[in-house]
Structure formats: structure tokens, C-alpha cells
Amino acid sequence: MMAILSDQEFLRYDRQISLKGFDIDGQERLKQSSALIIGLGGLGCSAAQYLAASGIGQLTLVDFDTVSLSNLHRQILHTEQSINQHKVDSAAQALKQINPSIQLQTLASALDDDALAVQLQKQSIVLDCSDNLATREQINRLCYQYKVPLVSGAAIRMEGLLSTFIYQDNQPCYHCLSQLFGQDHLTCAESGVMSPLVGMIGAMQAMEAIKVLTQFGKPLIGRLLTVDAMTMQFTEIKFNPLPHCPICSHA
């Protein structure tokens, strides 16, 4: 059943509702949607605030970590008062200030396969804002199993990556993409990252999620968007399913 917008919501989201092709139907689809955000660091903070501000109905926030001083230059939902607090709790407090009407659930722990499977069956979409390959591969494997759309973003140094997966026939999964880059995956702690870059990629993850949830526009399916912030160059790379992918291949 479609979620009905209140008079206050019509006013609040007027600039989105005015978009040709989005309209009231798009805003109502967004209101009845739920998103699972895994990782409330730089990417997750940016993605979460834009989904909350845009009027998504529910967000589930997952992160086992606590806020430290070195997080604050890029993880913009957290403040100095948040230090040593769980990131999901700090983020939830900030998101409620942005939009008090959204529903929020917080999980301050890493999710094993069983726990993640339980969450996926409640969600309309997943945003992978994690910072390690093992977690990314776990998310992809289970999203494929339950056919829950996934928006994957990454940022390090001055470089960002973004792609979207909806797990239809003859479409690649995240594992098909990750195998193109080999096994060397650095972290921000090892190589550094520029603050606005994670904001850019996180905001674009929110944009991709909104497009998938509301069937508005053309998501990055089978396409990888790379961002070189040093030269502000955006490049699109098309990629195909791996013939013998252990996740999505039927060979």
C-alpha cells in the first residue's frame, strides 16, 4: 500500500515533487522504502544524511566502531561530543535533527551471515559504505541471494568508485567488479583520504539509491563510475558478468 504524504511533507519535499517524472508518486515510493547502510564513516554519513533529508521512510544503520578524533574531518554526522560514542548512535542523533519523521534502527555490531540475512529481508536497498573487501564480498553474496539491490561506493586518497547492482539475469555482481582490481585493497588509515571526496561519493550513493527505489533515471548498473578528484575527471567503465563468477554465474 502506497504511503500517503501529509500536508507538511508536501511542503517539505516540494522541490523534489516538482521534478518531472518524479512527482508525488516518486516521493511516496521513497517514503515507503527502507535502506540498510553498512558503515557510518565518511561515505555512510554523507549517504545517510541525504537519504534522511530526501524523505526515505526508514534507515537501518550498522557499524561496530566508535567515533575517534581522526574521524571528524570527513565523517560529518559526528562531532567532538560524539568521541567514544558508537557511530550508529551519534549518526542517529544527527539524522533525527535533520528529519525527525524518519524511522531509525541502529545496530552497533558487525553482522554475521545469519544476522545480515535477517536484515536484508526487511530492506528495500543496501548501501555498502564499508572499508574492507571481506565485508563488501559478504554483502554482495547475501544481497545476490536475497535479490536486494546494492549501491557500492569506495573512496581513498583522491580517488572514488561507484556502482549499482540489482541482480537481474545477465547483470554483473560486485564480485565480478572486484576481481578486476586484484587483491590489493588499501584503507584510508594506510593511504589517507580527502574529506570532500567521501562526501561526493556518499551523496552519489544516496542518489543511486533514490533512483533505484523510485524507478527514476538510469542507475549505474553494469557501469563503474570512477572519480579522480585531483583533476576532477569522471570516467565510466562498462563491465560484464564474469563467465564463472562463484556468486552470480550459472555456468
Side-chain angles (χ1 to χ4, degrees):
M1 183 176 178
M2 191 66 74
I4 304 301
L5 300 177
S6 67
D7 291 343
Q8 188 73 15
E9 288 170 326
F10 271 109
L11 180 60
R12 184 183 185 106
Y13 305 119
D14 173 71
R15 301 302 187 271
Q16 285 178 183
I17 293 170
S18 299
L19 286 169
K20 184 178 180 180
F22 191 79
D23 305 317
I24 296 170
D25 288 346
Q27 194 64 49
E28 289 181 336
R29 287 192 196 102
L30 193 58
K31 182 179 178 178
Q32 69 176 358
S33 297
S34 58
L36 177 67
I37 299 181
I38 302 179
L40 270 297
L43 297 175
C45 282
S46 177
Q49 71 166 350
Y50 276 106
L51 285 176
S54 297
I56 196 167
Q58 180 174 330
L59 290 175
T60 299
L61 313 177
V62 178
D63 198 312
F64 66 88
D65 202 5
T66 57
V67 179
S68 65
L69 183 61
S70 63
N71 298 147
L72 299 185
H73 91 285
R74 66 194 183 281
Q75 300 179 15
I76 55 174
L77 292 179
H78 312 310
T79 67
E80 287 194 8
Q81 287 68 44
S82 309
I83 290 174
N84 297 324
Q85 188 177 6
H86 280 292
K87 289 183 179 180
V88 292
D89 295 333
S90 170
Q93 291 167 11
L95 293 171
K96 274 296 186 183
Q97 293 293 316
I98 292 171
N99 190 345
S101 67
I102 64 167
Q103 299 178 45
L104 290 168
Q105 178 185 8
T106 60
L107 298 170
S109 62
L111 302 184
D112 61 17
D113 282 9
D114 290 340
L116 181 54
V118 169
Q119 289 301 318
L120 289 181
Q121 294 174 73
K122 306 174 185 177
Q123 305 298 331
S124 308
I125 199 165
V126 176
L127 282 75
D128 179 0
C129 302
S130 63
D131 62 358
N132 67 88
L133 181 60
T135 300
R136 293 176 180 277
E137 295 284 9
Q138 177 205 25
I139 294 167
N140 174 69
R141 174 167 46 82
L142 289 168
C143 281
Y144 176 81
Q145 180 179 341
Y146 291 96
K147 298 298 185 286
V148 180
L150 169 66
V151 180
S152 180
I156 193 167
R157 294 181 295 245
M158 292 283 283
E159 302 142 24
L161 302 173
L162 181 70
S163 193
T164 297
F165 307 90
I166 61 171
Y167 305 113
Q168 301 298 307
D169 290 343
N170 301 314
Q171 292 179 355
C173 72
Y174 175 80
H175 187 76
C176 299
L177 175 62
S178 70
Q179 294 309 291
L180 303 177
F181 293 92
Q183 297 300 312
D184 295 329
H185 293 265
L186 300 174
T187 67
C188 295
E190 295 169 323
S191 300
V193 67
M194 186 61 73
S195 172
L197 176 65
V198 293
M200 292 167 60
I201 301 299
M204 288 193 287
Q205 284 183 269
M207 184 75 261
E208 285 291 288
I210 291 170
K211 285 156 60 180
V212 171
L213 293 170
T214 63
Q215 301 171 27
F216 182 66
K218 181 181 178 182
L220 284 165
I221 298 166
R223 298 180 292 149
L224 173 69
L225 182 68
T226 70
V227 179
D228 180 351
M230 192 69 80
T231 60
M232 205 51 77
Q233 188 168 22
F234 291 69
T235 304
E236 179 187 300
I237 303 168
K238 294 183 179 180
F239 62 101
N240 297 313
L242 290 178
H244 299 284
C245 175
I247 307 301
C248 68
S249 170
H250 299 289

